[in-house]
Amino acid sequence: DGATLLTSSQDGTARLWSTADGRCLHVLADPSGSFVSAAALHPGGGIAASASVGQVHLWDTATGAKRGTLRALRGDASGLAFTPDASRMS
């Protein structure tokens, strides 16, 4: 909807930002402390994904709480995206 921006960082976090006023809404810290190489917002909102070495973490955008982890990536992700119908990530 254009109201939220998601960024990734080498400091081991992804951050959700309000595009209306530029304030940080949530800091999504990778539990392993690994740098976050890619991040994506679910097309319907509500879920943010952040990739680090070997895994993708799923986060609740309203609360910043971690919802789950997908494992078995090979190396670092250089990009992350949900398909338009939100049925998959690539």
Coordinates of all heavy atoms in Angstrom, one line a residue:
D1 N 0.8 -1.2 0.0 CA 0.0 0.0 0.0 C 0.8 1.3 0.0 O 0.3 2.4 0.0 CB -1.0 0.0 1.2 CG -0.3 0.0 2.5 OD1 1.0 0.2 2.6 OD2 -1.0 -0.1 3.6
G2 N 2.1 1.1 0.0 CA 3.0 2.3 0.0 C 3.2 2.9 1.4 O 3.9 3.9 1.5
A3 N 2.6 2.4 2.4 CA 2.7 3.0 3.7 C 3.9 2.6 4.5 O 4.3 3.2 5.5 CB 1.5 2.8 4.5
T4 N 4.5 1.4 4.1 CA 5.6 0.8 4.8 C 6.8 0.5 3.9 O 6.6 0.0 2.8 CB 5.2 -0.5 5.5 OG1 4.0 -0.2 6.3 CG2 6.2 -1.0 6.4
L5 N 8.0 0.8 4.4 CA 9.2 0.4 3.6 C 10.0 -0.5 4.5 O 10.1 -0.4 5.7 CB 10.0 1.7 3.4 CG 11.4 1.5 2.8 CD1 11.3 1.1 1.3 CD2 12.2 2.8 2.9
L6 N 10.6 -1.6 3.9 CA 11.4 -2.6 4.6 C 12.8 -2.5 4.0 O 13.1 -2.5 2.8 CB 10.8 -4.0 4.3 CG 11.6 -5.1 4.9 CD1 11.7 -5.1 6.4 CD2 11.0 -6.4 4.4
T7 N 13.8 -2.3 5.0 CA 15.2 -2.3 4.6 C 16.0 -3.4 5.2 O 15.6 -3.9 6.3 CB 15.9 -0.9 4.9 OG1 15.8 -0.7 6.4 CG2 15.2 0.2 4.2
S8 N 17.1 -3.8 4.6 CA 18.0 -4.8 5.2 C 19.3 -4.2 5.5 O 19.7 -3.2 4.9 CB 18.1 -6.0 4.3 OG 18.6 -5.7 3.1
S9 N 20.1 -4.8 6.4 CA 21.4 -4.2 6.8 C 22.4 -5.2 7.2 O 22.1 -6.3 7.6 CB 21.1 -3.2 8.0 OG 22.3 -2.7 8.4
Q10 N 23.7 -4.8 7.1 CA 24.8 -5.7 7.5 C 24.9 -5.7 9.0 O 25.7 -6.5 9.5 CB 26.1 -5.2 6.8 CG 26.1 -5.5 5.3 CD 27.4 -5.2 4.7 OE1 28.3 -4.6 5.3 NE2 27.5 -5.5 3.4
D11 N 24.1 -4.9 9.7 CA 24.2 -4.9 11.2 C 23.4 -6.0 11.8 O 23.2 -6.1 13.0 CB 23.9 -3.5 11.8 CG 22.4 -3.2 11.7 OD1 21.6 -4.0 11.1 OD2 22.0 -2.1 12.2
G12 N 22.8 -6.9 11.0 CA 22.0 -8.0 11.5 C 20.6 -7.7 11.7 O 19.9 -8.4 12.4
T13 N 20.1 -6.6 11.1 CA 18.7 -6.3 11.2 C 18.0 -6.0 9.9 O 18.7 -5.6 8.9 CB 18.5 -5.0 12.1 OG1 19.1 -3.9 11.4 CG2 19.2 -5.2 13.5
A14 N 16.7 -6.0 9.9 CA 15.9 -5.5 8.9 C 15.0 -4.4 9.7 O 14.8 -4.6 10.9 CB 15.0 -6.5 8.2
R15 N 14.6 -3.4 9.0 CA 13.8 -2.4 9.7 C 12.5 -2.1 8.8 O 12.6 -1.9 7.6 CB 14.6 -1.1 9.9 CG 15.7 -1.3 10.9 CD 16.6 -0.1 11.0 NE 17.9 -0.4 11.7 CZ 18.1 -0.3 13.0 NH1 17.1 0.3 13.7 NH2 19.2 -0.6 13.5
L16 N 11.4 -1.9 9.5 CA 10.2 -1.4 8.9 C 10.1 0.1 9.2 O 10.2 0.5 10.4 CB 9.0 -2.2 9.5 CG 8.9 -3.6 9.1 CD1 8.0 -4.4 10.0 CD2 8.4 -3.7 7.6
W17 N 9.8 0.8 8.2 CA 9.7 2.3 8.3 C 8.3 2.8 7.8 O 7.8 2.3 6.9 CB 10.8 2.9 7.4 CG 12.2 2.5 7.7 CD1 12.8 1.5 7.1 CD2 13.1 3.1 8.6 NE1 14.1 1.4 7.6 CE2 14.3 2.4 8.5 CE3 13.0 4.3 9.4 CZ2 15.4 2.8 9.3 CZ3 14.1 4.6 10.1 CH2 15.3 3.9 10.1
S18 N 7.9 3.8 8.4 CA 6.7 4.5 8.0 C 7.1 5.5 6.8 O 7.9 6.3 7.0 CB 6.0 5.3 9.1 OG 5.1 6.2 8.6
T19 N 6.4 5.3 5.7 CA 6.7 6.3 4.6 C 6.1 7.6 4.8 O 6.5 8.6 4.2 CB 6.3 5.7 3.2 OG1 4.9 5.4 3.2 CG2 7.1 4.4 2.9
A20 N 5.1 7.7 5.7 CA 4.4 8.9 5.9 C 5.2 9.9 6.7 O 5.3 11.1 6.3 CB 3.1 8.7 6.7
D21 N 6.0 9.4 7.7 CA 6.8 10.3 8.5 C 8.2 9.9 8.7 O 9.0 10.6 9.4 CB 6.1 10.6 9.9 CG 5.9 9.3 10.7 OD1 6.6 8.3 10.3 OD2 5.2 9.3 11.7
G22 N 8.6 8.8 8.1 CA 10.0 8.4 8.1 C 10.5 7.7 9.4 O 11.6 7.4 9.6
R23 N 9.5 7.5 10.3 CA 10.0 6.9 11.6 C 10.1 5.4 11.5 O 9.4 4.7 10.7 CB 9.0 7.3 12.7 CG 7.9 6.6 13.1 CD 6.9 7.3 14.1 NE 5.6 7.0 13.6 CZ 5.0 5.9 14.0 NH1 5.5 5.1 14.9 NH2 3.8 5.6 13.5
C24 N 11.0 4.8 12.3 CA 11.2 3.4 12.3 C 10.1 2.7 13.1 O 9.9 3.1 14.3 CB 12.6 3.1 13.0 SG 12.9 1.3 13.0
L25 N 9.4 1.8 12.6 CA 8.3 1.1 13.2 C 8.7 -0.1 14.0 O 8.3 -0.3 15.1 CB 7.2 0.7 12.2 CG 6.6 1.8 11.3 CD1 5.8 1.2 10.2 CD2 5.8 2.8 12.2
H26 N 9.6 -0.9 13.5 CA 10.2 -2.1 14.1 C 11.6 -2.4 13.6 O 11.9 -2.2 12.4 CB 9.3 -3.3 13.9 CG 7.9 -3.2 14.3 ND1 7.6 -3.2 15.7 CD2 6.7 -3.0 13.7 CE1 6.3 -3.0 15.8 NE2 5.7 -2.9 14.6
V27 N 12.4 -2.8 14.5 CA 13.7 -3.4 14.2 C 13.6 -4.9 14.3 O 13.2 -5.4 15.3 CB 14.8 -2.9 15.2 CG1 16.1 -3.5 14.8 CG2 14.9 -1.4 15.1
L28 N 13.8 -5.6 13.2 CA 13.7 -7.0 13.1 C 15.1 -7.6 13.2 O 15.8 -7.7 12.2 CB 13.0 -7.4 11.8 CG 11.7 -6.6 11.5 CD1 11.2 -7.0 10.1 CD2 10.7 -6.8 12.6
A29 N 15.5 -8.0 14.4 CA 16.9 -8.5 14.6 C 17.1 -10.0 14.3 O 16.3 -10.8 14.8 CB 17.3 -8.2 16.0
D30 N 18.0 -10.3 13.4 CA 18.3 -11.7 13.1 C 18.8 -12.4 14.4 O 19.8 -11.9 14.9 CB 19.3 -11.8 12.0 CG 19.5 -13.2 11.5 OD1 20.1 -14.0 12.3 OD2 19.1 -13.6 10.4
P31 N 18.2 -13.5 14.8 CA 18.7 -14.1 16.1 C 20.1 -14.5 16.1 O 20.8 -14.6 17.1 CB 17.7 -15.3 16.2 CG 16.6 -15.0 15.4 CD 17.1 -14.1 14.3
S32 N 20.7 -14.9 14.9 CA 22.0 -15.3 14.8 C 23.0 -14.2 14.7 O 24.2 -14.4 14.9 CB 22.2 -16.2 13.6 OG 22.1 -15.4 12.4
G33 N 22.5 -13.0 14.5 CA 23.4 -11.8 14.4 C 24.0 -11.7 13.0 O 24.8 -10.8 12.8
S34 N 23.7 -12.6 12.1 CA 24.2 -12.5 10.7 C 23.7 -11.3 10.0 O 22.5 -10.9 10.3 CB 23.8 -13.8 10.0 OG 24.4 -14.9 10.5
F35 N 24.4 -10.8 9.0 CA 23.9 -9.7 8.3 C 22.7 -10.1 7.5 O 22.6 -11.3 7.0 CB 25.0 -9.0 7.4 CG 25.4 -9.8 6.2 CD1 24.8 -9.5 5.0 CD2 26.4 -10.7 6.2 CE1 25.1 -10.2 3.8 CE2 26.8 -11.4 5.1 CZ 26.1 -11.2 3.9
V36 N 21.8 -9.2 7.3 CA 20.6 -9.5 6.5 C 20.8 -9.1 5.1 O 21.0 -7.9 4.8 CB 19.4 -8.7 7.1 CG1 18.1 -9.0 6.3 CG2 19.1 -9.1 8.6
S37 N 20.9 -10.1 4.2 CA 21.3 -9.8 2.8 C 20.1 -9.4 1.9 O 20.4 -8.9 0.8 CB 22.0 -11.1 2.3 OG 21.1 -12.2 2.3
A38 N 18.9 -9.7 2.3 CA 17.7 -9.4 1.5 C 16.5 -9.3 2.3 O 16.5 -9.9 3.4 CB 17.6 -10.4 0.4
A39 N 15.5 -8.6 1.9 CA 14.2 -8.5 2.6 C 13.1 -8.2 1.6 O 13.3 -7.7 0.5 CB 14.3 -7.4 3.6
A40 N 11.9 -8.7 2.0 CA 10.7 -8.5 1.1 C 9.5 -8.4 2.0 O 9.4 -9.0 3.1 CB 10.6 -9.7 0.2
L41 N 8.5 -7.6 1.5 CA 7.2 -7.5 2.2 C 6.2 -8.3 1.4 O 6.2 -8.4 0.2 CB 6.7 -6.0 2.1 CG 7.3 -5.1 3.2 CD1 6.9 -3.7 2.9 CD2 7.0 -5.5 4.6
H42 N 5.3 -9.0 2.1 CA 4.2 -9.8 1.5 C 3.3 -8.9 0.8 O 3.0 -7.8 1.3 CB 3.5 -10.6 2.7 CG 2.5 -11.5 2.3 ND1 1.2 -11.1 1.9 CD2 2.5 -12.9 2.1 CE1 0.5 -12.2 1.6 NE2 1.3 -13.2 1.7
P43 N 2.8 -9.2 -0.4 CA 1.9 -8.3 -1.1 C 0.7 -7.9 -0.4 O 0.2 -6.8 -0.6 CB 1.5 -9.1 -2.4 CG 2.6 -10.2 -2.5 CD 3.1 -10.5 -1.1
G44 N 0.2 -8.7 0.5 CA -1.0 -8.4 1.3 C -0.7 -7.6 2.6 O -1.6 -7.3 3.3
G45 N 0.6 -7.4 2.8 CA 1.0 -6.8 4.1 C 1.0 -7.8 5.2 O 0.7 -9.0 4.9
G46 N 1.3 -7.4 6.3 CA 1.2 -8.4 7.5 C 2.4 -9.2 7.7 O 2.7 -9.6 8.8
I47 N 3.2 -9.5 6.7 CA 4.4 -10.3 6.8 C 5.6 -9.7 6.1 O 5.5 -9.2 5.0 CB 4.2 -11.7 6.2 CG1 3.0 -12.5 6.9 CG2 5.5 -12.6 6.3 CD1 2.7 -13.8 6.3
A48 N 6.7 -9.7 6.9 CA 8.0 -9.3 6.3 C 8.9 -10.5 6.3 O 8.8 -11.3 7.2 CB 8.6 -8.1 7.1
A49 N 9.8 -10.6 5.3 CA 10.7 -11.7 5.3 C 12.1 -11.1 5.2 O 12.3 -10.1 4.5 CB 10.5 -12.6 4.0
S50 N 13.1 -11.7 6.0 CA 14.4 -11.2 5.9 C 15.3 -12.5 5.8 O 15.1 -13.5 6.4 CB 14.8 -10.4 7.2 OG 14.7 -11.3 8.3
A51 N 16.3 -12.4 4.9 CA 17.2 -13.5 4.6 C 18.6 -13.2 5.1 O 19.1 -12.1 5.0 CB 17.3 -13.7 3.1
S52 N 19.1 -14.3 5.8 CA 20.5 -14.2 6.2 C 21.1 -15.6 5.8 O 20.5 -16.4 5.1 CB 20.6 -14.0 7.7 OG 19.9 -15.0 8.4
V53 N 22.3 -15.8 6.2 CA 23.0 -17.1 5.8 C 22.2 -18.3 6.2 O 21.9 -18.6 7.3 CB 24.4 -17.1 6.5 CG1 25.1 -18.4 6.1 CG2 25.3 -15.9 6.1
G54 N 21.8 -19.0 5.1 CA 21.1 -20.3 5.3 C 19.6 -20.2 5.8 O 19.1 -21.3 6.0
Q55 N 19.0 -19.1 5.9 CA 17.7 -19.0 6.4 C 16.9 -17.8 6.0 O 17.5 -16.8 5.7 CB 17.7 -19.2 7.9 CG 18.5 -18.2 8.7 CD 18.8 -18.7 10.1 OE1 18.3 -19.6 10.6 NE2 19.7 -18.0 10.7
V56 N 15.6 -17.9 6.1 CA 14.7 -16.7 5.9 C 13.8 -16.7 7.1 O 13.2 -17.6 7.5 CB 13.8 -16.9 4.6 CG1 12.8 -15.7 4.6 CG2 14.7 -16.9 3.4
H57 N 13.8 -15.5 7.8 CA 12.9 -15.3 8.9 C 11.6 -14.6 8.5 O 11.7 -13.7 7.6 CB 13.6 -14.5 10.0 CG 14.8 -15.1 10.5 ND1 14.8 -16.2 11.3 CD2 16.1 -14.8 10.4 CE1 16.0 -16.6 11.6 NE2 16.9 -15.7 11.0
L58 N 10.5 -15.0 9.0 CA 9.2 -14.3 8.7 C 8.8 -13.5 10.0 O 8.9 -14.0 11.1 CB 8.2 -15.4 8.4 CG 8.5 -16.2 7.2 CD1 7.5 -17.3 7.0 CD2 8.7 -15.4 5.9
W59 N 8.3 -12.3 9.8 CA 8.0 -11.4 10.9 C 6.6 -10.8 10.7 O 6.1 -10.6 9.6 CB 9.0 -10.2 10.9 CG 10.4 -10.6 10.8 CD1 11.2 -10.8 9.7 CD2 11.3 -10.8 12.0 NE1 12.5 -11.1 10.1 CE2 12.6 -11.1 11.5 CE3 11.1 -10.7 13.3 CZ2 13.6 -11.4 12.3 CZ3 12.2 -10.9 14.2 CH2 13.4 -11.3 13.7
D60 N 6.0 -10.5 11.8 CA 4.7 -9.9 11.8 C 4.9 -8.4 11.7 O 5.6 -7.8 12.5 CB 3.9 -10.2 13.1 CG 2.5 -9.6 13.1 OD1 2.4 -8.4 13.1 OD2 1.6 -10.4 13.2
T61 N 4.4 -7.7 10.6 CA 4.7 -6.3 10.4 C 4.0 -5.4 11.5 O 4.5 -4.3 11.7 CB 4.3 -5.8 9.0 OG1 2.9 -6.1 8.8 CG2 5.2 -6.6 8.0
A62 N 2.9 -5.8 12.0 CA 2.2 -5.0 13.0 C 2.9 -5.0 14.4 O 2.9 -3.9 15.0 CB 0.8 -5.5 13.2
T63 N 3.5 -6.1 14.7 CA 4.1 -6.2 16.1 C 5.6 -6.3 16.1 O 6.3 -6.0 17.1 CB 3.6 -7.4 16.8 OG1 4.0 -8.6 16.1 CG2 2.1 -7.4 16.9
G64 N 6.2 -6.7 15.0 CA 7.6 -6.9 14.9 C 8.0 -8.3 15.4 O 9.2 -8.6 15.5
A65 N 7.1 -9.1 15.8 CA 7.4 -10.4 16.4 C 7.8 -11.4 15.3 O 7.2 -11.4 14.2 CB 6.2 -11.0 17.2
K66 N 8.7 -12.3 15.6 CA 9.1 -13.3 14.6 C 8.0 -14.4 14.5 O 7.5 -14.9 15.6 CB 10.4 -14.0 15.0 CG 11.0 -14.8 13.9 CD 12.4 -15.2 14.2 CE 12.5 -16.6 14.7 NZ 13.8 -17.2 14.7
R67 N 7.6 -14.7 13.3 CA 6.5 -15.7 13.1 C 7.1 -17.1 12.7 O 6.4 -18.1 12.9 CB 5.6 -15.2 12.0 CG 4.9 -14.0 12.4 CD 3.9 -13.5 11.3 NE 2.9 -14.5 11.1 CZ 1.8 -14.3 10.3 NH1 1.7 -13.2 9.7 NH2 1.0 -15.3 10.2
G68 N 8.3 -17.2 12.2 CA 8.9 -18.5 11.9 C 10.2 -18.3 11.1 O 10.6 -17.2 10.8
T69 N 10.8 -19.5 10.8 CA 12.1 -19.5 10.1 C 12.0 -20.6 9.1 O 11.6 -21.7 9.4 CB 13.2 -19.7 11.1 OG1 13.3 -18.7 12.0 CG2 14.6 -19.8 10.3
L70 N 12.5 -20.3 7.9 CA 12.6 -21.3 6.8 C 14.1 -21.5 6.7 O 14.9 -20.6 6.5 CB 12.1 -20.7 5.5 CG 10.6 -20.2 5.5 CD1 10.3 -19.5 4.2 CD2 9.7 -21.4 5.8
R71 N 14.5 -22.8 6.7 CA 16.0 -23.1 6.6 C 16.3 -23.7 5.3 O 15.5 -24.1 4.5 CB 16.3 -24.0 7.8 CG 16.1 -23.3 9.1 CD 16.7 -24.1 10.3 NE 16.2 -23.7 11.5 CZ 16.5 -22.6 12.2 NH1 17.3 -21.7 11.6 NH2 16.0 -22.3 13.4
A72 N 17.6 -24.0 5.1 CA 18.1 -24.7 4.0 C 18.5 -23.9 2.7 O 18.5 -24.4 1.6 CB 17.2 -25.9 3.6
L73 N 18.7 -22.6 2.9 CA 19.2 -21.8 1.8 C 20.7 -22.2 1.7 O 21.3 -22.6 2.6 CB 19.2 -20.3 2.1 CG 17.8 -19.6 2.2 CD1 18.0 -18.2 2.5 CD2 17.1 -19.7 0.8
R74 N 21.2 -22.1 0.5 CA 22.6 -22.4 0.2 C 23.3 -21.0 0.1 O 23.2 -20.4 -0.9 CB 22.7 -23.2 -1.0 CG 22.2 -24.6 -0.9 CD 22.5 -25.4 -2.0 NE 21.8 -26.7 -1.9 CZ 21.0 -27.3 -2.8 NH1 20.8 -26.7 -3.9 NH2 20.4 -28.4 -2.5
G75 N 24.0 -20.6 1.1 CA 24.7 -19.4 1.1 C 23.8 -18.2 1.4 O 22.7 -18.3 2.0
D76 N 24.3 -17.0 0.9 CA 23.5 -15.8 1.2 C 22.5 -15.6 0.0 O 22.8 -15.8 -1.1 CB 24.5 -14.6 1.2 CG 25.5 -14.7 2.3 OD1 25.2 -15.4 3.3 OD2 26.5 -14.0 2.2
A77 N 21.4 -15.0 0.4 CA 20.4 -14.6 -0.6 C 20.8 -13.2 -1.1 O 21.1 -12.4 -0.4 CB 19.0 -14.6 0.0
S78 N 20.8 -13.1 -2.4 CA 21.1 -11.8 -3.0 C 19.8 -11.0 -3.3 O 19.9 -9.8 -3.6 CB 22.0 -11.9 -4.3 OG 21.3 -12.6 -5.2
G79 N 18.7 -11.6 -3.2 CA 17.4 -11.0 -3.4 C 16.3 -11.9 -2.8 O 16.5 -13.1 -2.6
L80 N 15.2 -11.3 -2.5 CA 14.1 -12.0 -1.9 C 12.8 -11.3 -2.4 O 12.7 -10.1 -2.4 CB 14.2 -12.0 -0.4 CG 13.3 -12.8 0.4 CD1 13.4 -14.3 0.2 CD2 13.5 -12.5 1.9
A81 N 11.8 -12.1 -2.8 CA 10.6 -11.6 -3.3 C 9.5 -12.6 -3.1 O 9.7 -13.8 -3.3 CB 10.7 -11.1 -4.7
F82 N 8.3 -12.1 -2.8 CA 7.1 -12.9 -2.8 C 6.5 -12.8 -4.3 O 6.6 -11.8 -4.9 CB 6.0 -12.3 -1.9 CG 6.3 -12.6 -0.4 CD1 7.0 -11.6 0.3 CD2 5.9 -13.7 0.2 CE1 7.2 -11.9 1.7 CE2 6.1 -14.0 1.5 CZ 6.8 -13.1 2.3
T83 N 5.9 -13.9 -4.7 CA 5.2 -13.8 -6.0 C 4.0 -12.9 -5.9 O 3.5 -12.7 -4.7 CB 4.8 -15.2 -6.5 OG1 3.9 -15.8 -5.5 CG2 6.0 -16.1 -6.7
P84 N 3.5 -12.3 -7.0 CA 2.4 -11.4 -6.9 C 1.1 -12.0 -6.2 O 0.4 -11.3 -5.5 CB 2.1 -11.1 -8.3 CG 3.4 -11.2 -9.0 CD 4.1 -12.4 -8.3
D85 N 0.9 -13.3 -6.4 CA -0.2 -14.0 -5.7 C 0.1 -14.4 -4.3 O -0.7 -15.0 -3.6 CB -0.7 -15.1 -6.6 CG 0.2 -16.3 -6.6 OD1 1.3 -16.3 -6.1 OD2 -0.2 -17.3 -7.3
A86 N 1.3 -14.2 -3.9 CA 1.8 -14.5 -2.5 C 1.9 -15.9 -2.2 O 1.9 -16.3 -1.0 CB 1.0 -13.7 -1.5
S87 N 1.9 -16.8 -3.2 CA 1.9 -18.2 -2.9 C 3.3 -18.8 -2.7 O 3.5 -19.9 -2.1 CB 1.2 -19.0 -4.1 OG 2.0 -18.8 -5.2
R88 N 4.3 -18.0 -3.1 CA 5.7 -18.5 -3.0 C 6.6 -17.3 -2.8 O 6.3 -16.2 -3.0 CB 6.1 -19.2 -4.3 CG 5.4 -20.5 -4.5 CD 5.8 -21.2 -5.8 NE 5.3 -20.4 -6.9 CZ 5.9 -20.1 -8.0 NH1 7.1 -20.5 -8.2 NH2 5.3 -19.4 -9.0
M89 N 7.9 -17.7 -2.4 CA 9.0 -16.7 -2.3 C 10.1 -17.2 -3.2 O 10.3 -18.4 -3.4 CB 9.5 -16.6 -0.9 CG 9.0 -15.5 0.0 SD 9.9 -15.4 1.5 CE 9.5 -16.9 2.3
S90 N 10.8 -16.2 -3.7 CA 12.0 -16.6 -4.5 C 13.1 -15.7 -4.2 O 12.9 -14.6 -3.7 CB 11.7 -16.7 -6.0 OG 11.3 -15.4 -6.5

